[in-house]
Amino acid sequence: MFDYIKNTFILSLFSSLFSAIIGYTLAYFTVFYDFRYRKLFDILFILPLAIPTYIAGYVYGELFSFTGLFKGKIDIMNIYGGIFIFSIFLAPYVYIISKSYLSKISSNIIENAKILGKNDLHIFLNVLLPMSRIALVSSVSLVTLEIINAYGVVKYFGINTFSIGIFRTWFSLGDSNSAIKLAAFLMFTTFIVLSLEKNFRKHKNYSYINSKIKSIKRKKLSKSHEFIITIFSLLYIIIGFIFPIIQLVYFSMLTYKMMLNYETFLLIFKTFILTAISSLITLIIALIISNNARLSKNKFSGILARISSIGYSIPGAVIAIGVLMLFITIDNFFDTYFSMSFIVLILAYIIRFLGVGYNTINTSFLKIGLKFHESARTLGKSKIYTFFKIDFPMIKSSIFSAYILIFIEIIKELPLTLILRPFNFDTLSTITKKYVEDEMIYHSGIPSLIIVFICFLGIIYFNILNKNRRN
């Protein structure tokens, strides 16, 4: 137990710290300086998010093995390697949130500091960093929750965290009571992280005292500074995206003759069907809850909306244990076999990713307001007619975005799928882990590339969507 607490704490603390440093620094460069290929780097900095941390772990584990490119020169199969993987591949969360926050800071603040004789370093440390505390805390909380939920990379690197403890006590030792206790402790840790984040945001709000907000004018860099920033940016892209992709393509080239067969296509088909159905059900429930919350101002709707949005914060292993215990009880009582069916897995996906769909749809509902809906109702139109003819056309792009987001999250989900999948059923994520554990890491190339490619398409889509909205 002490090892689980210690390792989870060390991993979360240092990975979050380094993610914050990398992500915030990149966001600062992009917002405040004009350097060569800045617009291209702005897209590239997000791409490491397309690679799930467990795939990144498998790739770098092989790169630094005795048969890999770096010939075992550095041993990364330990907690330091875990910190490296999480820091690099979760830094885009900090980058996206920090960049959004920094780009809204008024140029007047920077100009006033310069009039007082302050240099760029002083402004960065004493003005921008304190002002960005809310964005940093929010993004670091997200990174921490991702680390607490992680299973694949910590298992591969041999790091004993809470997720590993839950799997070990449940599957290897058959000790369900201890697994439940660990899940409860992990849940308690998650609520501490969320409470700290909420309290910090509550007491650290900033606002402008007038409406005259000047947009940031990017500063031209000297050639030497531009060179340093370009090298730093390139290094991050190479480590966070290019190396893993080259390695996965290499794995795929070695095994494509064996992998491109009926079993692989069936695996892809089953994964897509399961993901598509689970995403659709989750989306419909999110839509109903969100629509009900805005139209019915009663307490029950509000509580239901709040509950639906917290699922993403709960680690997958905790949700899996909770859902499994519920269905085992039902099976024992009614003499059924629900606990071994897809119902359990789909329900767990809904609980975990309902918040993703709800938040996306609810944001659109807030933007359109109730004016059009109430006008239609005043003209005697029914609620169903009003929803499909008035509300739905106005938010259909957000509904599609919510579906894409849920689809991406489900297709790369590992711990929850591993625990709850029916016997002898695999998805792209579980087969990737299986090949690695069976020392057939080259065979994991094609399934991994498919997951990465889908995540990549999702990131590009949302990047284009955001640019269109800004224009």
Side-chain angles (χ1 to χ4, degrees):
M1 182 76 166
F2 177 73
D3 267 359
Y4 297 147
I5 296 173
K6 185 186 77 174
N7 290 332
T8 305
F9 177 75
I10 292 173
L11 204 56
S12 302
L13 178 68
F14 287 100
S15 302
S16 300
L17 177 67
F18 293 130
S19 288
I21 292 170
I22 296 168
Y24 190 80
T25 307
L26 294 174
Y28 172 73
F29 289 157
T30 311
V31 172
F32 289 95
Y33 295 104
D34 193 14
F35 53 95
R36 195 172 294 181
Y37 309 122
R38 180 185 59 79
K39 288 183 181 175
L40 177 62
F41 278 127
D42 185 27
I43 300 170
L44 296 178
F45 288 154
I46 309 171
L47 292 186
L49 265 190
I51 302 173
T53 51
Y54 56 88
I55 293 178
Y58 301 153
V59 166
Y60 271 96
E62 177 61 19
L63 275 171
F64 282 94
S65 71
F66 287 103
T67 56
L69 182 66
F70 300 109
K71 307 288 180 190
K73 288 179 181 172
I74 302 173
D75 179 17
I76 67 160
M77 305 294 282
N78 48 42
I79 197 165
Y80 304 109
I83 291 170
F84 166 75
I85 295 294
F86 287 123
S87 302
I88 295 293
F89 291 90
L90 297 180
Y93 283 123
V94 183
Y95 172 76
I96 294 167
I97 296 173
S98 299
K99 186 186 153 229
S100 172
Y101 191 86
L102 287 171
S103 59
K104 289 171 188 162
I105 288 177
S106 175
S107 179
N108 292 332
I109 295 170
I110 312 297
E111 287 169 8
N112 289 338
K114 284 185 176 173
I115 290 169
L116 292 171
K118 308 300 180 189
N119 59 26
D120 287 353
L121 182 62
H122 183 94
I123 294 170
F124 177 81
L125 293 174
N126 298 293
V127 179
L128 296 176
L129 265 181
M131 287 186 73
S132 308
R133 278 183 291 185
I134 294 174
L136 278 170
V137 170
S138 300
S139 52
V140 165
S141 302
L142 190 58
V143 170
T144 306
L145 292 174
E146 287 285 339
I147 295 165
I148 290 172
N149 179 51
Y151 172 72
V153 64
V154 288
K155 165 78 175 168
Y156 189 57
F157 282 22
I159 309 166
N160 288 325
T161 62
F162 271 109
S163 294
I164 296 295
I166 291 170
F167 272 81
R168 185 174 294 156
T169 49
W170 185 276
F171 291 105
S172 302
L173 305 177
D175 186 353
S176 58
N177 287 331
S178 297
I180 292 167
K181 285 176 188 171
L182 283 172
F185 197 88
L186 187 57
M187 189 68 205
F188 176 69
T189 309
T190 304
F191 273 116
I192 289 176
V193 174
L194 290 173
S195 301
L196 287 173
E197 191 258 347
K198 190 178 176 183
N199 276 329
F200 191 89
R201 285 163 62 95
K202 197 170 160 185
H203 299 294
K204 298 289 179 187
N205 282 326
Y206 294 98
S207 59
Y208 296 110
I209 56 173
N210 61 52
S211 58
K212 293 180 182 175
I213 301 170
K214 278 177 68 179
S215 56
I216 300 290
K217 192 177 177 184
R218 291 187 181 84
K219 185 179 173 182
K220 271 279 182 190
L221 288 166
S222 65
K223 282 191 177 178
S224 57
H225 286 169
E226 186 178 27
F227 177 75
I228 293 168
I229 288 178
T230 306
I231 292 296
F232 180 75
S233 303
L234 269 177
L235 197 61
Y236 176 68
I237 300 303
I238 289 169
I239 295 171
F241 191 72
I242 294 174
F243 263 167
I245 294 298
I246 290 173
Q247 186 71 12
L248 288 176
V249 170
Y250 174 66
F251 287 169
S252 303
M253 287 172 67
L254 290 177
T255 57
Y256 77 93
K257 286 182 181 171
M258 289 176 280
M259 291 297 294
L260 293 181
N261 52 33
Y262 173 75
E263 282 76 20
T264 303
F265 286 113
L266 184 64
L267 172 78
I268 296 168
F269 177 74
K270 287 191 298 184
T271 305
F272 271 73
I273 290 292
L274 174 67
T275 308
I277 293 172
S278 305
S279 304
L280 185 62
I281 297 172
T282 308
L283 179 76
I284 292 170
I285 295 173
L287 191 58
I288 293 170
I289 292 174
S290 183
N291 192 43
N292 190 52
R294 73 174 186 134
L295 298 178
S296 310
K297 299 293 180 187
N298 58 52
K299 277 187 181 177
F300 176 74
S301 301
I303 291 169
L304 191 62
R306 277 198 290 277
I307 290 173
S308 69
S309 62
I310 62 170
Y312 192 70
S313 313
I314 304 171
V318 175
I319 292 175
I321 295 290
V323 172
L324 198 55
M325 290 306 297
L326 172 68
F327 277 90
I328 286 173
T329 308
I330 292 172
D331 284 349
N332 290 337
F333 194 78
F334 294 104
D335 197 21
T336 53
Y337 298 96
F338 287 125
S339 59
M340 293 184 285
S341 71
F342 285 101
I343 295 172
V344 183
L345 182 58
I346 292 174
L347 178 64
Y349 283 148
I350 293 169
I351 295 170
R352 174 121 171 89
F353 301 115
L354 188 59
V356 176
Y358 171 80
N359 289 328
T360 309
I361 294 168
N362 192 48
T363 305
S364 287
F365 273 139
L366 289 174
K367 278 182 184 171
I368 65 171
L370 287 168
K371 188 169 53 176
F372 302 104
H373 181 92
E374 286 171 350
S375 301
R377 294 284 290 148
T378 307
L379 292 171
K381 303 298 179 187
S382 67
K383 281 185 180 177
I384 295 175
Y385 179 91
T386 307
F387 176 77
F388 283 106
K389 293 292 181 182
I390 306 296
D391 295 330
F392 184 81
M394 295 173 74
I395 63 163
K396 62 182 178 186
S397 63
S398 294
I399 292 174
F400 182 67
S401 300
Y403 185 80
I404 299 288
L405 271 177
I406 298 167
F407 192 95
I408 290 171
E409 291 291 345
I410 291 178
I411 207 164
K412 67 180 186 179
E413 169 64 30
L414 183 61
L416 199 150
T417 313
L418 270 177
I419 295 176
L420 298 178
R421 64 189 165 138
F423 177 70
N424 212 21
F425 179 85
D426 276 308
T427 64
L428 287 167
S429 60
T430 60
I431 201 74
T432 300
K433 176 184 172 293
K434 193 175 175 182
Y435 281 134
V436 173
E437 285 190 344
D438 291 346
E439 298 187 354
M440 298 166 68
I441 193 164
Y442 293 167
H443 290 71
S444 70
I446 289 178
S448 299
L449 267 183
I450 294 170
I451 296 173
V452 172
F453 182 65
I454 291 167
C455 297
F456 172 81
L457 288 181
I459 288 171
I460 296 299
Y461 167 75
F462 283 106
N463 197 58
I464 293 169
L465 194 70
N466 285 334
K467 280 191 176 172
N468 289 340
R469 280 175 184 164
R470 282 198 297 268
N471 294 333

